[in-house]
Amino acid sequence: MTVTDIQSEGRGYPSCAAVDLAAIKHNLSVLRAAAPGALQLATVKANAYGHGLVPVAVAALEGGADWLGVAQLAEAFALRRGLDEAGVPRADAPLLAWISTSSSDFAAAIEADIDLSVSWTWVLADICAAARALGRPARVHVKIDTGMSRAGSTLADLPALASALRMAADDGLVDVVGAWSHMSRADDPSEEGQASTASHVRIFEEGLAILAEAGITPRIRHLSATSGILWHPEAHYDMVRAGIGLYGLSPDPSVASSRELGLIPALELRAPLTSVKVVEAGTPASYGGTWVAPTRRWIGLVPLGYGDGILRAVSNRARVVVHSDAGPLNAPLVGRVCMDQFMVDLGPAQGSPDAPSARSGEPPACPGDIATLFGSGAGGEALADEWAEAASTINYEIVTHLGTHIPRVYGERPVPTQERNPHE
Ligand SMILES: *Cc1c(COP(=O)(O)O)cnc(C)c1O
């Protein structure tokens, strides 16, 4: 099955997000070549950045991922269940979940073989209580705050956490598998960005030294997400955690594009046109009349809107590619994005001064023709990057925003030769 052949699977929504699992595997190989000696954790939080949790996780494992990582424990439970059902042995799919709260079910996490992140002694106490009750040690990764002020123990708090970890390990309640952190500016090539990353690394080293003094020497040290993998080899350590790059998108397209990085965007969002009609010059489109037909125009209607995760901020600013019998047609999005639909300008109609005479009134596209919003770019369509720029946001938000109700359809498209990883 190829991605191009796949039609929406008739779950009632006409749109579909086609996910190319061969692209996921290809991207993983590119990232592995960029961080050769490091274990690869595939970051599949937020429904695998909108691509679909279990199918992406299974593909990543098939592609050689060593670990899986999610943010929420709820996602980790869903993922473990999905992997168990898919027959993936737990030993082949170590899984780290990094958000813990006082209401987290740590006992269930230990039973599901989910590694937990520990930043604070109170979390450690709760984890130890669960481990003691189960008679089984919890696997933990101690998190150090290296300058993001998000989760993680500050260096000031770390000695107390380290000695509590040491005691818990001596009591057989925890196995300290990892020590880790996350960087805030690894995609920033400016002098300040470089200094920030150097500081993260320095603080991480200081944290590791504090742990070592307490007799804690974790087997897996990990610091880098995609931007660290690509641009900071000094921060690779024992494992790296790829997210956006796994999905074929650049952590910062202004630094390097997907194409320049050899990555293939894995998700293509498309929907069939539900209407094609002519409006007269001067006719407004959508709420507020923010766009007015400059001449007699063909208008197409796309059944996706902000209720599906199409950011309203792209109103009048993005484009789709319509695949008509005559070939691909670039059609700008006109007027405001509605809750479930938006309009596109398919070009001048007969009687308009700028209408191509050859067209003799034929519509440039038909209802049912597929409009591609974004994808790999192979068919001339935009990348998520272009939609992100239109909405003044980042590609991460474009893909993770897609409603879970939009059918995800999986296939494997052959990797084009020019995208083959030269390191393979
Ligand atoms: C999201 C996330 C990642 C992956 O980041 P990318 O920039 O998408 O590669 C890695 N580690 C942590 C802790 C994260 O929250």
Side-chain angles (χ1 to χ4, degrees):
M1 182 164 61
T2 70
V3 173
T4 6
D5 293 337
I6 299 163
Q7 291 297 321
S8 175
E9 283 193 310
R11 277 191 265 161
Y13 284 92
S15 56
C16 103
V19 177
D20 179 1
L21 297 174
I24 301 270
K25 294 174 194 175
H26 163 83
N27 297 330
L28 187 60
S29 75
V30 170
L31 296 165
R32 191 183 304 104
L39 295 168
Q40 284 282 346
L41 176 145
T43 304
V44 292
K45 66 189 180 191
N47 194 30
Y49 290 44
H51 293 59
L53 178 62
V54 175
V56 168
V58 169
L61 291 169
E62 284 172 5
D66 305 285
W67 278 73
L68 299 169
V70 293
Q72 303 286 352
L73 207 41
E75 300 176 289
F77 290 134
L79 179 53
R80 182 59 82 205
R81 202 178 320 115
L83 293 173
D84 285 350
E85 283 166 14
V88 177
R90 290 184 173 191
D92 294 348
L95 167 53
L96 171 63
W98 49 77
I99 294 182
S100 305
T101 73
S102 49
S103 60
S104 295
D105 188 346
F106 292 123
I110 296 167
E111 288 195 299
D113 293 306
I114 294 165
D115 285 39
L116 298 163
S117 178
V118 173
S119 300
W120 302 285
T121 48
W122 63 266
V123 168
L124 180 61
D126 285 357
I127 291 172
C128 287
R132 189 176 286 112
L134 283 174
R136 226 185 109 175
R139 291 165 50 97
V140 301
H141 298 233
V142 52
K143 185 153 196 188
I144 302 161
D145 180 358
T146 52
M148 187 153 166
S149 304
R150 201 165 71 172
S153 173
T154 59
L155 291 185
D157 291 341
L158 194 55
L161 179 59
S163 71
L165 279 166
R166 180 59 207 261
M167 281 190 284
D170 288 348
D171 290 345
L173 297 174
V174 298
D175 174 9
V176 187
V177 175
W180 75 301
S181 188
H182 189 57
M183 301 192 287
S184 56
R185 295 180 72 171
D187 60 341
D188 181 348
S190 74
E191 212 168 292
E192 272 183 20
Q194 299 295 322
S196 160
T197 297
S199 167
H200 276 282
V201 172
R202 199 166 50 241
I203 294 170
F204 192 54
E205 290 289 341
E206 286 176 40
L208 293 173
I210 290 171
L211 293 173
E213 271 166 44
I216 303 278
T217 48
R219 306 190 281 289
I220 305 178
R221 302 159 300 162
H222 48 114
L223 182 57
S224 286
T226 303
S227 47
I229 296 171
L230 295 172
W231 298 315
H232 294 285
E234 75 281 11
H236 288 170
Y237 291 95
D238 308 306
M239 180 161 80
V240 292
R241 305 182 306 270
I244 200 76
L246 186 65
Y247 305 99
L249 296 172
S250 169
D252 189 341
S254 72
V255 176
S257 66
S258 293
R259 173 159 275 273
E260 286 162 340
L261 295 169
L263 300 171
I264 304 174
L267 185 148
E268 186 173 304
L269 180 64
R270 54 190 186 220
L273 295 180
T274 50
S275 156
V276 174
K277 68 183 173 191
V278 173
V279 300
E280 299 302 326
T283 311
S286 196
Y287 293 113
T290 60
W291 184 82
V292 175
T295 60
R296 198 160 184 265
R297 311 297 284 185
W298 286 101
I299 298 292
L301 185 57
V302 178
L304 280 165
Y306 60 80
D308 304 300
I310 305 303
L311 299 178
R312 196 167 165 278
V314 303
S315 296
N316 287 308
R317 297 175 57 95
R319 68 177 171 105
V320 304
V321 170
V322 174
H323 300 278
S324 72
D325 282 347
L329 171 69
N330 255 311
L333 192 160
V334 292
R336 288 188 184 147
V337 173
C338 307
M339 191 180 292
D340 312 282
Q341 319 186 65
F342 64 80
M343 282 69 103
V344 294
D345 176 11
L346 297 170
Q350 199 187 25
S352 154
D354 53 347
S357 50
R359 208 181 259 148
S360 70
E362 283 289 300
C366 301
D369 285 351
I370 298 294
T372 304
L373 286 72
F374 50 85
S376 71
E381 73 278 7
L383 267 56
D385 306 355
E386 196 180 314
W387 281 66
E389 195 171 329
S392 306
T393 183
I394 53 175
N395 50 21
Y396 294 71
E397 193 179 15
I398 296 298
V399 287
T400 53
H401 244 277
L402 293 180
T404 51
H405 58 272
I406 297 174
R408 267 57 170 188
V409 181
Y410 298 93
E412 301 217 18
R413 184 187 252 176
V415 174
T417 11
Q418 72 272 21
E419 309 285 6
R420 290 250 161 80
N421 179 3
H423 303 281
E424 271 178 329

